[in-house]
Amino acid sequence: MDIQTIGIVGAGQMGNGIAHVMALAGYRVLLTDVSQDALDNALAIIRKNLDRQVSREKIGQSDKDAALDRMTTTLKLSDLGRSDLVIEAATERETVKQAIFEDLLPHLKQDTILTSNTSSISITRLASRTDRPEKFMGFHFMNPVPVMSLVELIRGIATSKETYDSCLKVVESLGKTAASAEDFPGFIVNRILMPMINEAVYTLYEGVGSVLSIDQSMKLGANHPMGPLELADFIGLDTCLAIMNVLHDGLADTKYRPCPLLTKYVEAGWLGRKSGRGFYDYRGDEPVPTR
């Protein structure tokens, strides 16, 4: 299938990043959200990020202008029905995603491909609630989307080769690399990354090290660009907890049990950078460890 128009559901951190790279690659993009403020904020972030690319001479001013011209926003989910490819990038809750697909289905073209940017939820299960499981797959971008070069492509049990090939072609057109993952909880990246973050939280919880010593140890001792607790704050502690719960429930192995301290931080609303506090406090000029 020749994909030209891409609908994106959700204008948050992932949604606006996906819209950015798609429009820059030449696709017509239709971005939707339930909030006009969210759409306005997304466009402002996209403009800022495009301006940064222009200033660093990674793209030209004409590339930026053309990308913005290809982008349209709407509050009506039904408007995405004319898209060739839909990428759902809503919050990481299965009930929310299922409701979105249910509302979208009556408006879709017969050959529209449906995908989810989920980081851990079963593609097969999401697909089974639609009228096109063979045209459904996981399209998992890494954060921040304009910077990270990997995209996980996850086939559900019914996903057709044609659907996979069409999505692979899109990934390649973005100048990114596709990793093919089987449909098991967490796929590849989060199956490996989240237990590491969870173990770092356990290390803090058990008093083995402080926030700073844990992050410094992994940055200087394992050459990681960010410490695991710093990275958890960047991702969002609520997202980390949701993925650990998916791993724990889906694989039924106690090694994936979320650390009680991670749960406590989420219950407190300390979700990381986006809420101002997590394992670090971001409300001052410099991040300060909270433990």
Side-chain angles (χ1 to χ4, degrees), residues 2-24:
D2 184 26
I3 293 172
Q4 297 182 343
T5 303
I6 295 177
I8 298 167
V9 184
Q13 191 174 39
M14 296 304 295
N16 73 59
I18 296 168
H20 172 147
V21 299
M22 291 295 184
L24 199 55

Side-chain angles (χ1 to χ4, degrees), residues 58-118:
K58 293 189 174 182
I59 64 172
Q61 182 65 40
S62 60
D63 298 320
K64 172 200 163 183
D65 295 340
L68 291 172
D69 285 343
R70 294 186 196 104
M71 213 173 296
T72 308
T73 62
T74 179
L75 291 170
K76 294 181 180 178
L77 185 63
S78 59
D79 287 348
L80 269 61
R82 62 180 181 269
S83 305
D84 300 319
L85 168 67
V86 172
I87 303 172
E88 170 274 314
T91 187
E92 190 68 357
R93 289 206 299 272
E94 188 165 350
T95 53
V96 172
K97 295 178 186 298
Q98 287 176 344
I100 288 168
F101 291 128
E102 188 176 321
D103 290 345
L104 191 55
L105 286 175
H107 308 285
L108 293 177
K109 299 187 300 182
Q110 189 175 355
D111 59 352
T112 296
I113 293 173
L114 278 180
T115 67
S116 176
N117 184 57
T118 179

